[in-house]
Amino acid sequence: MLEHMKGAIFDLDGVIVDTAKYHYLAWHSLAGELGFPFTETDNERLKGVSRMRSLDILLEIGGLSFGEAEKLAMAERKNRLYVEYISGLDESELLPGVRVYLSALRARGVAIALGSASKNAAFILDKLNIAGLFDTVVDGNKVSQAKPDPEVFLTTCRELGLGPQDCVVFEDAEAGVAAGKAAGMNVVGIGRPELLKTADLVISGLHEL
């Protein structure tokens, strides 16, 4: 599978860098402002899904309901908090093996892309000093459907000029693995096998490769 791939498509959070902790802090802060607790266990439900869907889940946990305009303002508030947290990111926060593996793929002539729901993806890659290793970045600014919909990965394939059968997706979230499989791609799950049952291969991190 990995030996024959022509394109490698990486999710961002939990695969390239652990920004999940910063997302959690931002959502936790917003929940506090709204007057209810939000735990790390609750946060598991938000991984791999869009900002607005994440907000819907958060409000569901808090038993609250708001109009569309208020929700948009809350999502923007959460994003401002998140951007404040990640503004200090640097390449020391790259997950183990990331730079080595991406560089090895480039040396083999494999096209490299980012396929992420994050609207801050390009900013984060710049902060990590690895933007130059990616041939294309498809993020929440380019697609409208959240994972497990396959739109982000199919769009990335088109930008690379490759077919789904030529690409391998690297994902840490169940919704992302489902999106990769729905797109017709092989998927490498990064994390715990019991949570990523439909992935073709599960590893603990890119350092294993």
Side-chain angles (χ1 to χ4, degrees), residues 123-141:
F123 172 76
I124 292 170
L125 292 183
D126 279 335
K127 298 293 285 184
L128 295 171
N129 197 28
I130 56 168
L133 292 174
F134 288 83
D135 296 295
T136 191
V137 172
V138 175
D139 60 14
N141 298 300

Side-chain angles (χ1 to χ4, degrees), residues 25-185:
L25 288 171
W27 286 122
H28 181 269
S29 181
L30 181 64
E33 290 172 11
L34 292 169
F36 63 90
F38 180 73
T39 68
E40 291 191 54
T41 301
D42 294 329
N43 191 60
E44 286 298 313
R45 293 177 60 192
L46 274 53
K47 288 186 177 179
V49 300
S50 70
R51 189 183 305 164
M52 293 309 294
R53 177 64 191 133
S54 292
L55 177 62
D56 285 337
I57 295 169
L58 182 93
L59 294 176
E60 182 187 307
I61 290 167
L64 300 175
S65 180
F66 292 93
E68 207 56 36
E70 291 170 302
K71 283 164 59 176
L72 286 169
M74 288 176 195
E76 184 53 40
R77 167 71 177 146
K78 180 267 172 180
N79 190 54
R80 283 198 303 273
L81 289 166
Y82 174 66
V83 170
E84 284 176 24
Y85 286 127
I86 63 171
S87 61
L89 271 181
D90 60 37
E91 55 191 299
S92 71
E93 295 205 51
L94 278 172
L95 288 173
V98 170
R99 184 180 292 279
V100 172
Y101 188 59
L102 294 182
S103 299
L105 291 180
R106 287 200 78 80
R108 276 173 48 196
V110 176
I112 299 173
L114 193 82
S116 169
S118 171
K119 291 189 175 181
N120 300 295
F123 172 76
I124 292 170
L125 292 183
D126 279 335
K127 298 293 285 184
L128 295 171
N129 197 28
I130 56 168
L133 292 174
F134 288 83
D135 296 295
T136 191
V137 172
V138 175
D139 60 14
N141 298 300
K142 289 187 177 181
V143 296
S144 58
Q145 300 301 312
K147 301 168 188 175
D149 189 280
E151 182 191 15
V152 63
F153 294 135
L154 292 173
T155 302
T156 306
C157 262
R158 285 196 296 273
E159 293 208 358
L160 291 176
L162 296 171
Q165 72 280 0
D166 296 320
C167 296
V168 174
V169 166
F170 296 79
E171 264 285 355
D172 75 315
E174 191 177 358
V177 172
K181 298 305 290 181
M185 301 176 192

